[in-house]
Amino acid sequence: MSAEKLQYIVSVDVYNTAKQLPADEQTLLQQATKIMHAAYAPYSNFKVGAAVLLENGKVITGNNQENAAYPSGMCAERVAIFYAGAQHPDIAIKTIAVTCEAEAEQPVTPCGACRQAIAEYEQRHNKKIKLIMATPTGKVFCTNGIETLLPFMFSSKYLKK
Ligand SMILES: [Zn+2]
């Protein structure tokens, strides 16, 4: 007896350069790059910047904040989205741009914990978030919704009675 296969199709839009993005998304990526340079990453030397565009047009930026006690640090994405959630709890997140210093072939993507945090904000406002992931000079990957990066995610529906 063979198992039924459930397959996920991952759909990512890939651009060779950020210049192919709409002007507002290029600006968001530039804001992520600007804040990236101010990251506190003395241990990894891997600086990451994130810019969160809210539905009301406001942009919140964040960068990674490391700590000598490593787990006490925080990723750029969560620094930005938690601030957005704290300061603008009723406003949905429209787009998140993430960039890093490394000029890798594949752009930086949010870690598992950040993917879960992004999923929570999608569920909180019942709205998919567009992700723009890039290196400063390299390719840009875009997804519409976190499910592309986090299939079979844990969600609040498991906690409801
Ligand atoms: Zn992360």
Side-chain angles (χ1 to χ4, degrees), residues 49-134:
V52 172
L53 173 63
L54 302 180
E55 281 286 317
N56 64 2
K58 189 164 181 57
V59 173
I60 307 290
T61 58
N63 49 31
N64 49 328
Q65 297 293 314
E66 294 183 349
N67 193 287
Y70 288 5
S72 301
M74 183 58 68
C75 302
E77 299 94 316
R78 278 179 287 161
V79 166
I81 64 176
F82 288 166
Y83 184 86
Q87 298 295 320
H88 307 278
D90 300 324
I91 311 295
I93 295 171
K94 189 176 177 188
T95 310
I96 302 175
V98 186
T99 191
C100 68
E101 266 187 334
E103 293 183 17
E105 178 65 20
Q106 183 173 314
V108 65
T109 59
C111 75
C114 286
R115 293 175 194 203
Q116 188 67 47
I118 293 166
E120 184 73 22
Y121 279 78
E122 285 192 349
Q123 290 154 21
R124 181 172 170 178
H125 295 289
N126 196 26
K127 186 166 190 328
K128 285 188 174 183
I129 297 171
K130 181 172 184 175
L131 283 172
I132 302 170
M133 300 158 283

Side-chain angles (χ1 to χ4, degrees), residues 23-24 57 90 128 143 153 156:
D24 61 330
D90 300 324
K128 285 188 174 183
T143 68
M153 70 186 76
S156 59

